[in-house]
């Protein structure tokens, strides 16, 4: 608890420091406005706090908007120094004039101000508590705003485009982002953290802005305090905006501040005067800064102003034109404040995605596979909401407060209607809040330009109703006191009558806000704030350890969206209209479905992807916006162990892979070349009474320098120790499993080393075991040798055993089973899974039938080679038939294909080579088709040739027919020629040799190697 308190106070202190600095920057402008207009005079401390802070934001926004790179530490420090000197000088002057005097007694106005500041601090603390539990905010909204902050910091101004991260233009107004950037500079924190934390401050400042709204627009006593109380304890919004909405939150206090200026604007009469025009220009500056912060409050406020003026028109058209002329001055000024963004918006509105530089395959948001916003609600949706209000979380999170809020929402318009029927005069606050309600409802349905989600206008409607509630409280307080005589004793009786009424209404709100909301907010934040310490630390590591030209593929539902702002590296793609790309959406969807196919590899290559980031968690945005239950998280097992992706860095559950395209048909190639099994995605699992271990060792390595050593020793009854991981294959038709194993010591007649393939539900398994007598659920495949390299066709074996296709996602488990209590020690290496050759295995022999093509991947596991001057090509005409052609241009020429043959799981004492050939055309007396067996170093060979006169190092064995099936005892021939056994690993080459310049065309098939 003490640690939490320290964290909260630390964050609160930093945020108040930023607020004070903004106030200092805003003080000179505030002083100027006080001299010119009464709207800015006679403000108390809470009002000056919020007004000056936003004036400071306005100053630095204009500074960043000027394209001279003025938003830098040196200039900001200079401005701060000047403003601080100005503020201190003003305070000194005030002290000289008024002197230092302590009030003899606290007046009600002082108590009111203290109460408002206390409400502000309570709201701020409630906002800050969730920040101590979370690393960053929403991976969606907050990552976008953090990117803008990063761009401002890199360019020392508001840039025109997203470069170097995207070529698209910046159309999103940047009013709030300069404040976030200011905080990032001053506090030395990352842009995502600045956005997340400063948003909490701006959210709490709604309390101060509401107080200012009530104080200025409602002349009744304590109206400002009432509104501050409503937004501190009663109103769900903006307090509960946890999905992001950072700029919208920043706009709410400014929305309320700007609304207060319209009271004086509406009271101006007479012909234009210089000061009046200047006042409407000032209003336009506030409106422009509001538009630069967020467009929804701006559009609502302007619409409400027009509605308000129309409702007040009582005279001739000259007055109408005059009023709207004033509004026009403010609107034109406001547009000037966002002119660069407005021009870009208009220029690119006709383009797909309404921006420049987007992929060619962007589609409308409704057709996108990645949702950017909720679909617009229909009238039926609105009707359903109204009919089910008691069940609507968005009214209030808790049922008691929800029911009270609904009752108050019904009471408020009724109270206004009754007042209108009695011809009671409405306060300006009530009138304008009513206009805001009407404007927000209109904008909710018409959605001008389709710019914003309707939900933003519904939130403004809610906030407007809360303003009416604040005025209602002031009316109720005044109405009750007016019924009581004015002497002190009866006045106290009136207060004792008022207190129970307000306590009965608002006590539940106060209780839930203090006791429940900090934890409720934390829970709600976690829906989209899924960034963990692992993600954050990995992204910081990437900043200094990846090349600057890296391009990283990210999941739009994972924390990788923060990479541009944290790592300063380019990603495909940050939150933007780029998510409307149909190809990007397909890749994201395929990877979420554990599919790593040729389409994905092509996309990675065409986008020049260098790395892939896999976060620890994903957000449920797809479900929230579209109601789809589809999985969005990428499984790191899709990339772990895949030779096309090398693990660069792993921090907890966050992964960074380097994309290095080699063979897209190899799913897993694990030779345990790492120090920790966790790096390969392996989990160690043991069952029974005993001891076991699985470690990486340099002993008994078959491929590379390491192998897996698996130990198991029973202490009572059967015991097993194993390692386990998940595997995904894109095509389950012809999946091959290969591995090396060696049972070194301790394996008795009841013990076994097993490799198990299981579906993800663990209902069905396929067992490979060194001991077929070990009890297992299904009939196992027996490994007749305790040591060797084995290869099997998983698809065929699974289908034979279970009568169905191999699952595309399955577990692979390597298990050491011990019964006799003597420790089993075994080694496993060179574990491979791919889509390729099928190897049939029996108790006494193995037959390897070589294929030349699989689906869209010709010459799978074969490499093409040629020598001399000429042209040649190879083509798989069938899965097991190869056409090979050669034609020399000068001298001699040959073309060939070759592959590696491994018979390491057996002593190669009886290896037979067999094949079919058809020398079709073009072969002259000096030409030949040859099949060659060579040791790995290419120093020793056996030649099988259609022409024994061809010059080769060793006299070839003749193929006496141009077409036919041939078989040769490789082990015996090798031993006869070289006096040593055939190597366990050797090369198999098919070669077409031409000398006469007439194109040779030959076919070879049924290529098989048998080991007995």
């Amino acid at each position: 608890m003490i640690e939490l308190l320290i964290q909260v106070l630390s964050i609160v202190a930093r945020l108040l420091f930023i607020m004070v600095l903004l106030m200092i920057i805003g003080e000179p402008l505030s002083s100027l406005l006080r001299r010119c207009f009464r709207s800015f005079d006679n403000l108390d401390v809470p009002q000056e706090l919020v007004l000056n802070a936003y004036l400071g934001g306005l100053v630095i926004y204009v500074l960043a908007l000027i394209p001279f790179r003025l938003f830098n530490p040196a200039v900001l420090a200079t401005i701060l120094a000047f403003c601080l000197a100005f503020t201190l000088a003003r305070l000194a002057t005030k002290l000289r004039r008024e002197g230092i005097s302590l009030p003899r007694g606290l007046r009600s106005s002082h108590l009111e101000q203290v109460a408002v500041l206390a409400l502000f601090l309570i709201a701020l603390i409630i906002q800050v508590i969730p920040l101590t539990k979370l690393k960053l905010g929403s991976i969606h909204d907050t990552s976008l705003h953090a990117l803008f902050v990063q761009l401002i910091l890199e360019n020392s101004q508001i840039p025109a485009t997203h470069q170097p991260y995207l070529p698209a233009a910046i159309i999103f107004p940047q009013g709030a982002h300069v404040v976030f950037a200011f905080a990032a500079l001053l506090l030395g924190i990352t842009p995502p953290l600045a956005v997340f934390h400063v948003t909490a401050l701006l959210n709490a400042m709604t309390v101060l802005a509401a107080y200012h709204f009530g104080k200025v627009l409602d002349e009744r006593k304590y109206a400002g305090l009432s509104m501050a109380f409503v937004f501190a304890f009663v109103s769900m919004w903006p307090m509960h905006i946890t999905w992001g909405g950072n700029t919208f939150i920043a706009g709410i206090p400014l929305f309320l501040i700007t609304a207060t200026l319209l009271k004086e604007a509406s009271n101006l009469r007479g012909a234009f005067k210089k000061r009046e025009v200047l006042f409407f220009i000032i209003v336009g500056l506030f409106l422009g800064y509001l538009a630069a912060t967020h467009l929804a409050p701006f559009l609502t406020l302007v619409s409400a102003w027009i509605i308000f003026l129309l409702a007040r028109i009582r005279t001739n058209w000259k007055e109408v034109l005059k009023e709207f002329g004033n509004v026009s001055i403010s609107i034109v000024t406001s547009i000037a404040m966002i002119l660069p963004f407005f021009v870009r918006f208009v220029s690119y509105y006709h383009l797909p995605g309404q921006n420049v530089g987007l992929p060619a395959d962007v589609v409308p948001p409704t057709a996108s596979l990645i949702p950017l916003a909720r679909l617009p609600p229909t009238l039926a949706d609105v009707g359903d909401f109204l009919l089910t209000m008691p069940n609507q979380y968005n009214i209030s999170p808790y049922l008691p407060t929800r029911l009270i809020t609904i009752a108050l929402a019904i009471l408020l318009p009724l109270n206004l209607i009754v007042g209108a029927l009695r011809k009671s005069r409405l306060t300006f606050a009530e009138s304008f809040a009513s206009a805001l309600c009407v404007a927000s409802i209109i904008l909710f349905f018409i959605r001008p330009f389709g710019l914003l989600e309707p939900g933003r206008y519904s939130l403004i409607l809610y906030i407007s109703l809360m303003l009416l509630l604040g005025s209602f409280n002031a009316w109720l307080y005044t109405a009750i006191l007016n019924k009581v005589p004015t002497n002190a004793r009866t006045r106290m009786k009136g207060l004792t009558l008022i207190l129970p009424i307000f306590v009965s209404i608002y006590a539940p709100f106060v209780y839930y806000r203090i006791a429940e909301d900090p934890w409720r907010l934390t829970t709600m934040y976690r829906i989209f704030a899924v960034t963990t310490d692992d993600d954050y630390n990995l992204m910081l590591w990437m900043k200094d350890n990846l090349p600057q030209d890296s391009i990283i593929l990210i999941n739009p539902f994972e924390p990788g969206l923060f990479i541009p702002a944290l790592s300063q590296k380019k990603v495909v793609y940050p939150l933007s209209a780029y998510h409307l790309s149909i190809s990007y959406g397909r890749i994201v969807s395929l990877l979420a479905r554990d599919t790593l196919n040729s389409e994905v590899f092509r996309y990675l290559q065409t986008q020049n992807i260098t790395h892939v980031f896999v976060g620890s968690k994903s957000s449920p945005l797809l479900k929230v916006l579209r109601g789809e239950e589809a999985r969005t998280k990428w499984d790191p097992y899709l990339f772990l162990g895949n030779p096309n992706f090398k693990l660069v860095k792993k921090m907890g559950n966050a992964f960074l892979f380097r994309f290095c395209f080699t063979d897209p048909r190899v799913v897993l190639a694990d030779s345990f070349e790492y120090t920790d099994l966790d790096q390969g995605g392996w989990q160690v699992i043991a069952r029974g009474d005993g001891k076991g271990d699985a470690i990486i060792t340099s002993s008994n390595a078959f491929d590379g320098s390491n192998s897996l050593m698996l130990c198991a020793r029973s202490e009572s009854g059967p015991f097993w120790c194993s390692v386990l991981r998940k595997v995904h294959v894109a095509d389950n038709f012809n999946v091959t499993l290969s591995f090396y194993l060696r049972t070194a010591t301790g394996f008795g007649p009841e013990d076994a080393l097993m490799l198990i393939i299981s579906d993800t539900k663990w209902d069905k398994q396929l067992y490979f075991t060194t001991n077929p007598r070990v009890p297992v659920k299904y009939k196992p495949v027996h490994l007749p040798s305790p040591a060797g390299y084995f290869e099997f066709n998983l698809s065929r074996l699974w289908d034979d055993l279970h009568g169905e296709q191999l699952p595309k996602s399955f577990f692979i488990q390597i298990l050491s089973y011990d019964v006799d209590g003597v420790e089993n020690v075994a080694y496993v290496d060179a574990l491979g899974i791919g889509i390729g050759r099928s190897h049939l295995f029996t108790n006494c022999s193995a037959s390897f039938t070589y294929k030349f093509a699989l689906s869209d991947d010709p010459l799978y596991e074969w490499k093409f080679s040629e020598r001399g001057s000429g042209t040649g090509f190879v083509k798989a005409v069938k899965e097991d038939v190869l056409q090979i052609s050669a034609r020399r241009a000068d001298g001699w020429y040959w073309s060939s294909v070759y592959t590696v043959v491994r018979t390491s799981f057996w002593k190669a004492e009886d290896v037979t080579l067999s094949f079919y050939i058809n020398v079709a055309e073009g072969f002259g007396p000096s030409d030949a088709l040859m099949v060659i067996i060579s040791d790995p170093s290419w120093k020793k060979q056996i030649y099988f040739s259609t022409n024994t006169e061809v010059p080769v190092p060793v006299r070839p064995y003749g193929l006496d027919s141009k077409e036919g099936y041939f078989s040769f005892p490789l082990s015996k021939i090798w031993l006869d020629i070289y006096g040593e056994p055939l190597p366990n690993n050797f090369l198999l080459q098919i070669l077409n040799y031409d000398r006469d310049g007439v194109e040779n065309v030959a076919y070879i098939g049924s290529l098989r190697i048998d080991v007995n």
Side-chain angles (χ1 to χ4, degrees), residues 163 166-169 348 351-360 362 573 576-578:
Q163 292 288 17
L166 291 172
Y348 304 138
L351 298 175
Q354 299 173 356
N355 207 328
V356 68
L358 300 181
V362 295
Y573 288 115
S576 60
Y578 285 74

Side-chain angles (χ1 to χ4, degrees), residues 657-847:
F657 300 93
R658 178 169 57 86
F659 176 54
C660 44
F661 184 76
T662 54
D663 189 342
R665 306 293 288 185
V666 180
V667 176
L668 176 66
D670 195 345
S671 295
F672 303 97
E673 299 300 315
Y674 36 78
T675 57
D676 187 352
L677 281 170
D678 187 55
Q679 292 178 283
W682 295 99
Q683 304 173 48
V684 180
I685 301 174
R687 292 290 185 274
D689 186 6
K691 294 181 180 179
D693 200 3
I695 59 174
I696 304 296
T697 178
S698 57
S699 302
N700 289 276
F702 177 79
D703 182 49
S705 58
N706 291 343
S707 67
L708 169 68
M709 183 172 74
L710 200 58
C711 305
R713 181 170 66 85
S714 168
E715 295 182 350
S716 176
F719 169 80
W720 55 260
C721 179
S722 72
V723 293
L724 170 76
R725 65 155 288 168
K726 187 181 283 188
V727 176
H728 305 288
V729 294
D731 182 358
N732 57 358
F733 176 69
N734 194 16
V735 180
T736 301
L737 167 69
S738 58
F739 55 90
Y740 166 83
L741 62 77
R742 177 171 176 261
T743 55
T745 60
F747 284 85
E750 296 181 280
D751 302 342
L753 180 65
M754 288 185 275
L755 191 144
I756 305 168
I757 303 296
S758 175
D759 61 12
T760 54
K761 295 181 179 180
W762 289 97
D763 290 333
K764 298 175 181 179
Q765 291 84 37
L766 176 61
Y767 296 87
F768 302 89
T769 176
T770 57
N771 186 350
R773 295 183 295 276
V774 171
V776 291
K777 186 176 179 181
Y778 296 97
K779 182 180 179 181
V781 176
H782 178 217
L783 305 176
S785 173
Y789 180 78
F790 303 86
E791 299 191 39
F792 299 94
N793 188 300
L794 275 186
S795 301
R796 188 176 303 173
L797 291 172
W798 186 277
D799 183 55
D800 290 344
L801 183 63
H802 298 295
E804 63 186 32
Q805 287 187 334
L806 176 73
K808 288 189 174 182
S809 296
F810 54 84
F811 286 106
I812 181 167
Q813 184 177 23
I814 305 168
L815 183 148
S816 180
Y817 179 84
D818 184 62
V819 176
D820 60 12
V822 179
E823 184 180 43
N824 296 348
V825 178
Y827 298 90
V828 179
D829 198 9
L831 182 64
I833 293 177
I835 319 285
R837 300 173 304 186
S838 61
H839 303 297
L840 304 178
F841 194 79
T842 66
N843 288 343
C844 59
S845 66
S847 297

Side-chain angles (χ1 to χ4, degrees), residues 131 202 213 280 699 756 863 892 904:
L131 308 189
L202 299 174
F213 182 93
F280 283 103
S699 302
I756 305 168
K863 294 182 180 180
W892 56 268
S904 309

